[in-house]
Amino acid sequence: MRFISSKVSQKSFDIEFILLSRVLRSLSGGIITIAFPYLLLKDLHYSPFLLGIIYTAATISTALLSLASGYIADLWNQKYTLIFTLLLLPLSSLIILLFHNIIFIFLAAVLGGYTGTLAGGVTGGAAIPLMNALVSDLVNIQGRVKVFSKLMFIGGISGAVGMLLGKISNTYTLFIFASVASLLSVMIMIPVRAKTKNKKANTALKAKDAIFKFSVVGMLNGLSQGLIMPFMIPFFIIVYHTPKSQMSIYSFAGSVVAAFAPMFANLLDKKYGFLKSITVTRGLGAMLMVFFPVVRIFYLSLIIYLVSPFLRMMALPIQQSTLVGMVDASETARALSINQVSRLSASAAGTFVASDFFLLNSIEAPFFLYSAVMFLNIYLYVKFFKNKKMLK
């Protein structure tokens, strides 16, 4: 009994430290999500098109790093791979503090994964699949939706606090805070125990069909997000000329609202199940985005800005738990990373396309495309997952 109690206590200890690391990393990500576009658009006076190009390159680099780190984590060591991936975010913010040249800023954004959004933990997001894989090893299948929801909730709240810190007038001060918080998130992971090379792991994947289907819907989800998410804050800057002090408050409010969304996932899963939860929440969000760019009434735009992340995030823990439940434990990190790669690669394409629309002063087009892609995504969810027997 003492051995069992000790084992449970160690698992609880590990989970709490992973949660704390996520808090600090999301805090840093929230700060950067506000600070970076203001650094480029206001402080350095670069164009929204250049911002879009940087976001695109950062998204591609995050996708490639996610793929590589997922394979290394499964085949070698989850903890050390995660620590290396976590280190890239403080390194990136330090580069911006030390070098103000656009080439170094571009390099920092690529290393740190500055994608312009916190959705799903995307700023510095290559570490997120590895964190989720560690958690899935520590929690049984019945408790995963709850723990994934908790991870997303605390990440969302701390990201919102990071955005609120954007009220600080000096942009470079924000990057100092981001450097310290992200470095602490690395140090917190050091005591966590994790398995080394998985003896059952091999380069061939067993759950190819499930991974493929989740990758396809993930790709469309990423494409839709890439079209609009990096440009939500720039939209308010360009259309409404919203100052940083106000935008940080609105971003904080939106992130807090979105942070509470995953806490409804467990209830949503029990009442409606995986498929219906996805289709209803994503469908409502897609309809809202049709109206967002055309209403041109500040407070209506603000309401949609606050509500849409809530709908987008609500069923995400259910999706993650379902994917993990359909793959072998020896390939969890790879499955989550491949899903993230498909999402981020498509997101990069979406951001690149949206950048052209901003350059052509067609600011509404990305939002209309978002809705069309999201409805196609919902159709494929139904087509792929309507047979409930395939879900463990």
Side-chain angles (χ1 to χ4, degrees), residues 92-377:
S92 70
S93 54
L94 282 171
I95 289 173
I96 286 181
L97 288 170
L98 294 173
F99 307 100
H100 301 167
N101 184 283
I102 188 60
I103 294 175
F104 284 101
I105 290 172
F106 184 92
L107 175 63
V110 168
L111 284 176
Y114 299 179
T115 59
T117 174
L118 282 176
V122 172
T123 297
I128 302 304
L130 301 184
M131 279 189 172
N132 290 343
L134 277 178
V135 168
S136 69
D137 285 339
L138 297 169
V139 182
N140 60 37
I141 193 168
Q142 290 80 15
R144 282 177 189 153
V145 170
K146 186 176 181 180
V147 176
F148 283 150
S149 298
K150 190 175 180 181
L151 269 172
M152 292 182 63
F153 170 71
I154 62 161
I157 290 293
S158 51
V161 172
M163 287 181 165
L164 188 62
L165 289 174
K167 286 177 67 64
I168 297 172
S169 59
N170 189 332
T171 304
Y172 289 103
T173 303
L174 294 176
F175 280 97
I176 293 174
F177 288 149
S179 300
V180 173
S182 54
L183 187 59
L184 286 173
S185 77
V186 180
M187 297 172 65
I188 289 295
M189 286 300 302
I190 293 174
V192 174
R193 296 183 186 179
K195 61 186 179 185
T196 54
K197 182 177 178 180
N198 193 319
K199 294 179 180 179
K200 296 181 180 179
N202 54 67
T203 54
L205 293 168
K206 300 174 185 177
K208 290 180 181 178
D209 183 63
I211 293 173
F212 170 77
K213 288 178 178 178
F214 272 101
S215 295
V216 171
V217 293
M219 179 184 68
L220 290 175
N221 188 43
L223 177 61
S224 64
Q225 287 190 22
L227 285 167
I228 64 165
M229 292 310 298
F231 300 105
M232 296 294 280
I233 292 173
F235 180 88
F236 282 92
I237 297 173
I238 295 165
V239 174
Y240 296 115
H241 307 287
T242 308
K244 180 159 65 73
S245 59
Q246 290 183 25
M247 196 65 231
S248 65
I249 295 173
Y250 302 143
S251 298
F252 169 76
S255 296
V256 169
V257 170
F260 278 94
M263 300 307 289
F264 292 89
N266 206 37
L267 179 63
L268 201 66
D269 185 37
K270 289 178 180 177
K271 189 168 184 178
Y272 297 113
F274 163 66
L275 186 58
K276 194 171 182 180
S277 298
I278 291 285
T279 55
V280 171
T281 55
R282 303 282 169 85
L284 288 172
M287 286 189 285
L288 281 178
M289 276 301 122
V290 174
F291 298 102
F292 178 75
V294 296
V295 292
R296 297 300 173 95
I297 299 172
F298 178 77
Y299 287 107
L300 283 178
S301 295
L302 185 60
I303 289 169
I304 295 173
Y305 173 75
L306 296 175
V307 172
S308 56
F310 181 90
L311 293 170
R312 187 176 59 252
M313 299 291 287
M314 193 183 296
L316 189 55
I318 304 172
Q319 176 186 311
Q320 292 175 337
S321 179
T322 303
L323 173 56
V324 169
M326 293 172 65
V327 302
D328 188 82
S330 64
E331 53 193 38
T332 302
R334 282 173 290 173
L336 291 169
S337 296
I338 290 169
N339 182 257
Q340 175 132 310
V341 166
S342 65
R343 181 168 57 84
L344 292 180
S345 300
S347 180
T351 301
F352 182 78
V353 170
S355 301
D356 280 339
F357 283 121
F358 273 75
L359 192 64
L360 297 170
N361 293 319
S362 184
I363 201 169
E364 300 89 355
F367 298 92
F368 297 150
L369 281 175
Y370 169 92
S371 297
V373 172
M374 187 55 71
F375 282 123
L376 174 60
N377 194 23

Side-chain angles (χ1 to χ4, degrees), residues 42-65:
K42 294 295 185 182
D43 296 351
L44 301 178
H45 306 290
Y46 288 106
S47 69
F49 177 74
L50 178 61
L51 178 64
I53 294 300
I54 292 175
Y55 281 156
T56 301
T59 304
I60 292 171
S61 72
T62 303
L64 293 174
L65 181 61

